[in-house]
Amino acid sequence: METKEHVPAMLEPIGQVLRRHPKVNLQLNRALAPFENSAKVLLFSCNMCGQCLLHENGYTCLMNCPKQVRNGPCGGVRMNGHCEVKPEMECIWLKAERRSRRFPGRYLFLRIHAPLDWRRKGSSAILNAVAGWPGNGKE
Amino acid sequence: MMPADPTRGRFERALRSGRPVVTCEIGSPDGADPADVRKRAKLVRDYVDAVNVPDNTGGVVHAAPLAACAILVQEGIDPILHMTCRDRNRMALQSDLLGAALLGIRNILCLTGDHMIHGDQPETKPVYDIDSVILLEVANHLTREGKYVSGREIDPPPDLFPGCAAEPFAPPYAYRPLRLKKKVEAGARFVQTQIVFNVERFAEYMGRVHDLGVDKQVPILAGVAPIRSVKAATFMRDEVPGMEVPDALVRRMAQAGDDKKKREAEGIAICVEIFEDLRKIPGIAGFHIMPINWESAVAKISREAHLQPALGSAKTSPDEGKAAVPQEPQPQAPSAPPASVPLNS
C-alpha cells in the first residue's frame, strides 16, 4: 500500500539535499506548488492531490472522478460512457484508458495505485516525488 | 483458533467443493425489528450456501448490514457482508472489518459503493477515501499480516474471506476483465457479478476473463435476478447505470400484462431461461441471486432452475450431517485448507 514514485536516478542527489534540509524543502514546496498546480490545472484539469498519476494515466487527472477512485472505473458508467454522478461528463476512466494506450506508461496504468495521502493535498507533486515529501516523518 | 462453529467458513468450503455454489441477497430492513431479518433469511436459507446483505444500496439508508449479518450468524447462516467505501474512511473500514470478525462474519464483499446522488439524500458528503481495490488489499493485509495498515499488531488477526464484484455491462468493455484481474491481484478470493440479463455480452466477458486465467484463480458467481414487472425492467434499463436490460426482455414483460400472478410468473420464467444459458458458459463457479426485496421468489427460482446449494441446504445439510455424526464428541476441526492455498488450482 506504499506509494512508489518513479523518479529519474539523476535527481536523487537533489532529493538527498532536500531531505537533509527539511525547512528548505518545505519553503521550496510552498513556493513551487502554485506554479506547478496552476499549470496542471490549465492543461489537465488537475485536482492538486500532490501525488500525481498523470504520467501513468495518459495525462488525464483521475481525481476528477466524483468517487475519486484511483483504481477504476467503477460499475456506474452509463451506456454512453458518461458518469453516473455527472451525466454531462464522460467517465474520466474511459478517457484515461483510451489515452493511456498512446503513452509508454500503459503498464503503469494497469498497476494498483496506492490510495491518496491527504496530507499532501495542494503541495507540489514533482517536489514531493523528488524529495519524498516534507513532514511525513519517515525521512 | 477457529471457533467450533459450523457456519463459519461454510461459504469457502462450498466454493472448494467444486460443485456449483448458490448465494442470494436479502434486503437490509427499514425497521428496528430483528424478526424482519430472520423472516427474510427463513425464506432463502434452504436454497443457498451463503446470504449477502447489501450496504445502503443505491445510496438509500437502511439498517447496518453488519447488524443484519450478525443476526444471520445467530441463525446458522454464513453471511456475506457488503462493505462500501462511500460512507467510511480507511480507519472506519478497518475497524468495521475487525468488528465483523468479532461477530463471526468473515465473508466481505468489497465495493466502492453506489453514489448517493441517486439516493434520497444526495446532499450527503461522499467519503470515498479508498476504493474497492484498496479495500481488498486492506482486508487481505489484516488477515495475512495480522497488522493494521499502519503496521500496528492485531492479535489474533481476523480470518477474513474478501471478495469483489465484477461489472461486465458497462464501458470500457475491453478494460473490464483487466480490472477484475487487478482485483484478484489485490486479494479477491471470490467474485460476484452484476445481474446478467444480456447473456451474449456476459459470455464475451467471460471469454476474456478465461483468456486472462482469472476464472482459474477465483470462483466467479454469475449474478441473476428475477424481474417483477415491466416498470422494474424499464427502471433497471434506463435509470440504473451499469445494468443492461435488453429491449426483448422489457417487451416480454410488457406482454405479460398487469396481472400480478402472470407478470411474476413471466419474470421467473425469464430468470430460469437465463440460468439455462449461463450454464453453457465455461468458467462460472455458481450463481448469485439478487431478488431485490422479493425473497419469496428464491424458492420458486431454485426449484424451477434445479439449483442446489453446494453443501446441501443450510438447515439440514446432508453432507455436513453425515460428517458431523462421527465427529460429534470432538471439537469440529476446520475442514477448509489453509487460507493461502489458491482456489480451484
Side-chain angles (χ1 to χ4, degrees), chain A residues 1, chain B residues 137-149 151-158:
Chain A
M1 255 154 284
Chain B
E137 275 196 341
V138 170
N140 247 317
H141 190 82
L142 298 190
T143 308
R144 299 219 169 134
E145 310 279 325
K147 281 176 187 157
Y148 292 108
V149 174
R152 226 153 32 82
E153 296 271 330
I154 306 171
D155 186 31

PDB file of all heavy atoms in Angstrom, chain A residues 1, chain B residues 137-149 151-158:
ATOM      1  N   MET A   1       0.810  -1.213   0.000  1.00  0.00           N
ATOM      2  CA  MET A   1       0.000   0.000   0.000  1.00  0.00           C
ATOM      3  C   MET A   1       0.851   1.274   0.000  1.00  0.00           C
ATOM      4  O   MET A   1       0.347   2.359   0.155  1.00  0.00           O
ATOM      5  CB  MET A   1      -0.911   0.004   1.205  1.00  0.00           C
ATOM      6  CG  MET A   1      -2.332  -0.300   0.840  1.00  0.00           C
ATOM      7  SD  MET A   1      -3.189  -1.013   2.215  1.00  0.00           S
ATOM      8  CE  MET A   1      -2.553  -2.687   2.198  1.00  0.00           C
TER       9      MET A   1
ATOM     10  N   GLU B 137      -7.176  -5.000  -0.640  1.00  0.00           N
ATOM     11  CA  GLU B 137      -5.808  -5.073  -0.124  1.00  0.00           C
ATOM     12  C   GLU B 137      -5.803  -4.945   1.395  1.00  0.00           C
ATOM     13  O   GLU B 137      -5.070  -5.657   2.076  1.00  0.00           O
ATOM     14  CB  GLU B 137      -4.955  -3.954  -0.728  1.00  0.00           C
ATOM     15  CG  GLU B 137      -4.368  -4.300  -2.073  1.00  0.00           C
ATOM     16  CD  GLU B 137      -3.230  -3.364  -2.469  1.00  0.00           C
ATOM     17  OE1 GLU B 137      -3.150  -2.269  -1.892  1.00  0.00           O
ATOM     18  OE2 GLU B 137      -2.448  -3.740  -3.352  1.00  0.00           O
ATOM     19  N   VAL B 138      -6.636  -4.028   1.893  1.00  0.00           N
ATOM     20  CA  VAL B 138      -6.678  -3.807   3.340  1.00  0.00           C
ATOM     21  C   VAL B 138      -7.173  -5.066   4.049  1.00  0.00           C
ATOM     22  O   VAL B 138      -6.561  -5.528   5.029  1.00  0.00           O
ATOM     23  CB  VAL B 138      -7.588  -2.602   3.674  1.00  0.00           C
ATOM     24  CG1 VAL B 138      -7.838  -2.505   5.161  1.00  0.00           C
ATOM     25  CG2 VAL B 138      -6.968  -1.309   3.166  1.00  0.00           C
ATOM     26  N   ALA B 139      -8.264  -5.645   3.538  1.00  0.00           N
ATOM     27  CA  ALA B 139      -8.823  -6.848   4.174  1.00  0.00           C
ATOM     28  C   ALA B 139      -7.805  -7.977   4.176  1.00  0.00           C
ATOM     29  O   ALA B 139      -7.659  -8.715   5.152  1.00  0.00           O
ATOM     30  CB  ALA B 139     -10.097  -7.282   3.453  1.00  0.00           C
ATOM     31  N   ASN B 140      -7.071  -8.090   3.073  1.00  0.00           N
ATOM     32  CA  ASN B 140      -6.040  -9.112   2.982  1.00  0.00           C
ATOM     33  C   ASN B 140      -4.892  -8.840   3.933  1.00  0.00           C
ATOM     34  O   ASN B 140      -4.344  -9.761   4.529  1.00  0.00           O
ATOM     35  CB  ASN B 140      -5.477  -9.115   1.562  1.00  0.00           C
ATOM     36  CG  ASN B 140      -5.835 -10.382   0.870  1.00  0.00           C
ATOM     37  OD1 ASN B 140      -5.748 -11.447   1.471  1.00  0.00           O
ATOM     38  ND2 ASN B 140      -6.270 -10.275  -0.343  1.00  0.00           N
ATOM     39  N   HIS B 141      -4.545  -7.573   4.030  1.00  0.00           N
ATOM     40  CA  HIS B 141      -3.445  -7.161   4.903  1.00  0.00           C
ATOM     41  C   HIS B 141      -3.753  -7.540   6.347  1.00  0.00           C
ATOM     42  O   HIS B 141      -2.922  -8.125   7.036  1.00  0.00           O
ATOM     43  CB  HIS B 141      -3.257  -5.645   4.762  1.00  0.00           C
ATOM     44  CG  HIS B 141      -2.036  -5.122   5.413  1.00  0.00           C
ATOM     45  ND1 HIS B 141      -0.803  -5.170   4.822  1.00  0.00           N
ATOM     46  CD2 HIS B 141      -1.846  -4.539   6.622  1.00  0.00           C
ATOM     47  CE1 HIS B 141       0.087  -4.637   5.624  1.00  0.00           C
ATOM     48  NE2 HIS B 141      -0.519  -4.242   6.731  1.00  0.00           N
ATOM     49  N   LEU B 142      -4.986  -7.228   6.790  1.00  0.00           N
ATOM     50  CA  LEU B 142      -5.381  -7.551   8.167  1.00  0.00           C
ATOM     51  C   LEU B 142      -5.264  -9.048   8.398  1.00  0.00           C
ATOM     52  O   LEU B 142      -4.783  -9.500   9.442  1.00  0.00           O
ATOM     53  CB  LEU B 142      -6.826  -7.117   8.437  1.00  0.00           C
ATOM     54  CG  LEU B 142      -7.191  -5.639   8.344  1.00  0.00           C
ATOM     55  CD1 LEU B 142      -8.579  -5.405   8.881  1.00  0.00           C
ATOM     56  CD2 LEU B 142      -6.213  -4.787   9.109  1.00  0.00           C
ATOM     57  N   THR B 143      -5.719  -9.844   7.411  1.00  0.00           N
ATOM     58  CA  THR B 143      -5.773 -11.287   7.586  1.00  0.00           C
ATOM     59  C   THR B 143      -4.383 -11.920   7.533  1.00  0.00           C
ATOM     60  O   THR B 143      -4.014 -12.698   8.402  1.00  0.00           O
ATOM     61  CB  THR B 143      -6.650 -11.907   6.487  1.00  0.00           C
ATOM     62  OG1 THR B 143      -7.889 -11.228   6.483  1.00  0.00           O
ATOM     63  CG2 THR B 143      -6.876 -13.376   6.723  1.00  0.00           C
ATOM     64  N   ARG B 144      -3.643 -11.570   6.475  1.00  0.00           N
ATOM     65  CA  ARG B 144      -2.381 -12.281   6.236  1.00  0.00           C
ATOM     66  C   ARG B 144      -1.241 -11.766   7.100  1.00  0.00           C
ATOM     67  O   ARG B 144      -0.415 -12.540   7.564  1.00  0.00           O
ATOM     68  CB  ARG B 144      -2.010 -12.158   4.759  1.00  0.00           C
ATOM     69  CG  ARG B 144      -3.082 -12.782   3.888  1.00  0.00           C
ATOM     70  CD  ARG B 144      -2.506 -13.527   2.721  1.00  0.00           C
ATOM     71  NE  ARG B 144      -3.564 -14.313   2.100  1.00  0.00           N
ATOM     72  CZ  ARG B 144      -3.768 -14.371   0.804  1.00  0.00           C
ATOM     73  NH1 ARG B 144      -2.977 -13.732  -0.025  1.00  0.00           N
ATOM     74  NH2 ARG B 144      -4.740 -15.111   0.314  1.00  0.00           N
ATOM     75  N   GLU B 145      -1.166 -10.432   7.274  1.00  0.00           N
ATOM     76  CA  GLU B 145      -0.047  -9.860   8.020  1.00  0.00           C
ATOM     77  C   GLU B 145      -0.360  -9.797   9.511  1.00  0.00           C
ATOM     78  O   GLU B 145       0.553  -9.699  10.327  1.00  0.00           O
ATOM     79  CB  GLU B 145       0.257  -8.438   7.541  1.00  0.00           C
ATOM     80  CG  GLU B 145       0.390  -8.275   6.034  1.00  0.00           C
ATOM     81  CD  GLU B 145       1.763  -8.688   5.528  1.00  0.00           C
ATOM     82  OE1 GLU B 145       2.735  -8.459   6.254  1.00  0.00           O
ATOM     83  OE2 GLU B 145       1.835  -9.269   4.432  1.00  0.00           O
ATOM     84  N   GLY B 146      -1.668  -9.849   9.844  1.00  0.00           N
ATOM     85  CA  GLY B 146      -2.011  -9.686  11.251  1.00  0.00           C
ATOM     86  C   GLY B 146      -1.691  -8.298  11.766  1.00  0.00           C
ATOM     87  O   GLY B 146      -1.308  -8.106  12.917  1.00  0.00           O
ATOM     88  N   LYS B 147      -1.797  -7.302  10.862  1.00  0.00           N
ATOM     89  CA  LYS B 147      -1.475  -5.929  11.250  1.00  0.00           C
ATOM     90  C   LYS B 147      -2.470  -4.990  10.611  1.00  0.00           C
ATOM     91  O   LYS B 147      -3.036  -5.293   9.567  1.00  0.00           O
ATOM     92  CB  LYS B 147      -0.077  -5.561  10.733  1.00  0.00           C
ATOM     93  CG  LYS B 147       1.042  -6.113  11.565  1.00  0.00           C
ATOM     94  CD  LYS B 147       2.372  -5.776  10.933  1.00  0.00           C
ATOM     95  CE  LYS B 147       3.495  -6.476  11.685  1.00  0.00           C
ATOM     96  NZ  LYS B 147       4.679  -6.637  10.852  1.00  0.00           N
ATOM     97  N   TYR B 148      -2.687  -3.848  11.267  1.00  0.00           N
ATOM     98  CA  TYR B 148      -3.426  -2.769  10.605  1.00  0.00           C
ATOM     99  C   TYR B 148      -2.564  -2.219   9.475  1.00  0.00           C
ATOM    100  O   TYR B 148      -1.366  -2.514   9.398  1.00  0.00           O
ATOM    101  CB  TYR B 148      -3.712  -1.637  11.595  1.00  0.00           C
ATOM    102  CG  TYR B 148      -4.686  -1.989  12.696  1.00  0.00           C
ATOM    103  CD1 TYR B 148      -4.236  -2.161  13.994  1.00  0.00           C
ATOM    104  CD2 TYR B 148      -6.037  -2.137  12.432  1.00  0.00           C
ATOM    105  CE1 TYR B 148      -5.117  -2.482  15.021  1.00  0.00           C
ATOM    106  CE2 TYR B 148      -6.919  -2.445  13.455  1.00  0.00           C
ATOM    107  CZ  TYR B 148      -6.453  -2.622  14.743  1.00  0.00           C
ATOM    108  OH  TYR B 148      -7.322  -2.940  15.750  1.00  0.00           O
ATOM    109  N   VAL B 149      -3.152  -1.363   8.642  1.00  0.00           N
ATOM    110  CA  VAL B 149      -2.382  -0.754   7.563  1.00  0.00           C
ATOM    111  C   VAL B 149      -1.219   0.046   8.134  1.00  0.00           C
ATOM    112  O   VAL B 149      -0.135   0.118   7.562  1.00  0.00           O
ATOM    113  CB  VAL B 149      -3.296   0.139   6.696  1.00  0.00           C
ATOM    114  CG1 VAL B 149      -2.491   0.887   5.664  1.00  0.00           C
ATOM    115  CG2 VAL B 149      -4.360  -0.712   6.023  1.00  0.00           C
ATOM    116  N   GLY B 151       0.602  -0.744  10.496  1.00  0.00           N
ATOM    117  CA  GLY B 151       1.675  -1.613  10.951  1.00  0.00           C
ATOM    118  C   GLY B 151       1.499  -2.101  12.377  1.00  0.00           C
ATOM    119  O   GLY B 151       2.237  -2.948  12.847  1.00  0.00           O
ATOM    120  N   ARG B 152       0.480  -1.551  13.075  1.00  0.00           N
ATOM    121  CA  ARG B 152       0.223  -1.994  14.443  1.00  0.00           C
ATOM    122  C   ARG B 152      -0.326  -3.416  14.445  1.00  0.00           C
ATOM    123  O   ARG B 152      -1.077  -3.788  13.568  1.00  0.00           O
ATOM    124  CB  ARG B 152      -0.774  -1.037  15.100  1.00  0.00           C
ATOM    125  CG  ARG B 152      -0.378  -0.619  16.495  1.00  0.00           C
ATOM    126  CD  ARG B 152      -0.932   0.752  16.877  1.00  0.00           C
ATOM    127  NE  ARG B 152      -2.214   1.049  16.279  1.00  0.00           N
ATOM    128  CZ  ARG B 152      -3.395   0.624  16.768  1.00  0.00           C
ATOM    129  NH1 ARG B 152      -3.439  -0.119  17.847  1.00  0.00           N
ATOM    130  NH2 ARG B 152      -4.509   0.979  16.179  1.00  0.00           N
ATOM    131  N   GLU B 153       0.069  -4.211  15.458  1.00  0.00           N
ATOM    132  CA  GLU B 153      -0.317  -5.616  15.507  1.00  0.00           C
ATOM    133  C   GLU B 153      -1.805  -5.798  15.802  1.00  0.00           C
ATOM    134  O   GLU B 153      -2.400  -5.017  16.525  1.00  0.00           O
ATOM    135  CB  GLU B 153       0.464  -6.320  16.630  1.00  0.00           C
ATOM    136  CG  GLU B 153       1.947  -6.373  16.437  1.00  0.00           C
ATOM    137  CD  GLU B 153       2.385  -7.601  15.656  1.00  0.00           C
ATOM    138  OE1 GLU B 153       1.695  -8.636  15.757  1.00  0.00           O
ATOM    139  OE2 GLU B 153       3.392  -7.512  14.931  1.00  0.00           O
ATOM    140  N   ILE B 154      -2.375  -6.845  15.224  1.00  0.00           N
ATOM    141  CA  ILE B 154      -3.725  -7.270  15.593  1.00  0.00           C
ATOM    142  C   ILE B 154      -3.575  -8.678  16.158  1.00  0.00           C
ATOM    143  O   ILE B 154      -3.032  -9.552  15.484  1.00  0.00           O
ATOM    144  CB  ILE B 154      -4.650  -7.330  14.373  1.00  0.00           C
ATOM    145  CG1 ILE B 154      -4.658  -6.004  13.628  1.00  0.00           C
ATOM    146  CG2 ILE B 154      -6.059  -7.717  14.765  1.00  0.00           C
ATOM    147  CD1 ILE B 154      -5.385  -6.073  12.317  1.00  0.00           C
ATOM    148  N   ASP B 155      -4.044  -8.884  17.380  1.00  0.00           N
ATOM    149  CA  ASP B 155      -3.839 -10.195  17.985  1.00  0.00           C
ATOM    150  C   ASP B 155      -5.124 -10.688  18.632  1.00  0.00           C
ATOM    151  O   ASP B 155      -5.604 -10.063  19.565  1.00  0.00           O
ATOM    152  CB  ASP B 155      -2.696 -10.087  19.011  1.00  0.00           C
ATOM    153  CG  ASP B 155      -2.343 -11.446  19.568  1.00  0.00           C
ATOM    154  OD1 ASP B 155      -2.502 -12.432  18.816  1.00  0.00           O
ATOM    155  OD2 ASP B 155      -1.926 -11.529  20.733  1.00  0.00           O
ATOM    156  N   PRO B 156      -5.720 -11.788  18.183  1.00  0.00           N
ATOM    157  CA  PRO B 156      -5.326 -12.542  16.989  1.00  0.00           C
ATOM    158  C   PRO B 156      -5.856 -11.877  15.730  1.00  0.00           C
ATOM    159  O   PRO B 156      -6.858 -11.160  15.804  1.00  0.00           O
ATOM    160  CB  PRO B 156      -6.040 -13.888  17.212  1.00  0.00           C
ATOM    161  CG  PRO B 156      -7.241 -13.551  18.019  1.00  0.00           C
ATOM    162  CD  PRO B 156      -6.860 -12.394  18.875  1.00  0.00           C
ATOM    163  N   PRO B 157      -5.219 -12.108  14.597  1.00  0.00           N
ATOM    164  CA  PRO B 157      -5.699 -11.474  13.361  1.00  0.00           C
ATOM    165  C   PRO B 157      -7.039 -12.051  12.929  1.00  0.00           C
ATOM    166  O   PRO B 157      -7.349 -13.202  13.249  1.00  0.00           O
ATOM    167  CB  PRO B 157      -4.614 -11.810  12.335  1.00  0.00           C
ATOM    168  CG  PRO B 157      -3.867 -12.953  12.906  1.00  0.00           C
ATOM    169  CD  PRO B 157      -4.014 -12.917  14.384  1.00  0.00           C
ATOM    170  N   PRO B 158      -7.847 -11.264  12.227  1.00  0.00           N
ATOM    171  CA  PRO B 158      -9.132 -11.785  11.748  1.00  0.00           C
ATOM    172  C   PRO B 158      -8.903 -12.777  10.606  1.00  0.00           C
ATOM    173  O   PRO B 158      -7.854 -12.768   9.975  1.00  0.00           O
ATOM    174  CB  PRO B 158      -9.844 -10.534  11.236  1.00  0.00           C
ATOM    175  CG  PRO B 158      -8.746  -9.622  10.819  1.00  0.00           C
ATOM    176  CD  PRO B 158      -7.603  -9.894  11.749  1.00  0.00           C
TER     177      PRO B 158
END
